[in-house]
Amino acid sequence: MVPRSNHEVTFGGSRSIAIPEGAEVLSDPIPFSVGSEQNLAISLFTAGETGPATAHGSAFQTNYVSGAGNFAAEEGANAFVATGSKTTGAKTTGSWYFLSAIEVLVPADVKSAVVALGDSITDGASSRPDKNERWTDVLARRLLAGNTKIAVLNAGIGGNRVLTSSPCWGQNALARLGRDVLAQAGIEAVILFEGTNDIGQPDTRALENNPCLSRTQVTADEIIAGYKQIIARTHARGLKIFGATILPYQGFGAWTTTGEAKRVAVNQWIRTSRAFDGVIDFDAALRDPARPARMAPQYDSGDHLHPGPAGHEAMGNAVDLALFR
């Protein structure tokens, strides 16, 4: 940490707070300036057993866990890094715990924010940890470079679906829309990029007894009906919503000709229905021209479902910035 940059966080003037199960708390404002693309370190201390922790499992960001003791006020690394033969109980993890968001009071020339509602691809799957190379990161840098002054909020959850919930991957998009998207401060638009898991998960052949996977078959019309509800609720809040086409995934274990027909039908509706305020054609940007049911090799992470770093770059560059003007 930068010396003397650590600020204590209070809650209603108190140095600590108990959070009821399922609830959220908002801290007091902190008199602290932060610049664009600047990294923030937030230290949390829990005084006892917490029970199951709210977590963002695939944060793709290194977090440091200390051994026993309250080291939240320390600016040095000693409590968080095991050195030599010294055993401190310190370890690292790629997940975030407890903290769900940081709200920043922005200058008057900052226009607003856009929220990306998605699944593992939006979450950053197959991007490299600590590199900030998710497609949403690429988009954020483009908006910043173009002086558009719009922030990008990432509401991606690995395994998430439009219509069905999971004990592992959270509530479906319809159920979490209010909390994860519409409740965010200062937003003017939403990017909806979900549907792959609704189509593919029921056809996954591996791990047949995996409780995380949905076995509920859904039709293209049912996915579209879910989209329509998300669009209606977003428009009711006076916000714009842009639809992103579903990426090709032939070669992945869940691919079937029936699933491909659903994907094509859903994408056709996204492109032609004019239900969205604009369309982001990720499918056209990443598909193999010779085999449109497959992702182009240069963008494929290797599993034929998730884009690698080059794929995330291509996705972020495929978004027309004129949508936000």
Side-chain angles (χ1 to χ4, degrees), residues 163 199 218-228 261-262 265-266 269:
L163 301 174
I199 296 170
V218 299
T219 66
D221 286 342
E222 287 172 325
I223 295 172
I224 291 168
Y227 285 172
K228 288 178 178 178
K262 294 178 186 178
V266 171
W269 182 85

Side-chain angles (χ1 to χ4, degrees), residues 4-10 27-34 40 103-105:
R4 296 179 297 281
S5 68
N6 204 357
H7 289 65
E8 185 176 37
V9 179
T10 58
S27 78
D28 301 326
I30 302 168
F32 181 68
S33 296
V34 57
L40 296 180
E103 293 186 352
V104 181
L105 184 64

Side-chain angles (χ1 to χ4, degrees), residues 53-76:
T54 301
H56 184 159
S58 301
F60 300 100
Q61 213 79 29
T62 302
N63 291 259
Y64 300 87
V65 183
S66 73
N70 183 358
F71 304 102
E74 294 196 11
E75 294 183 339

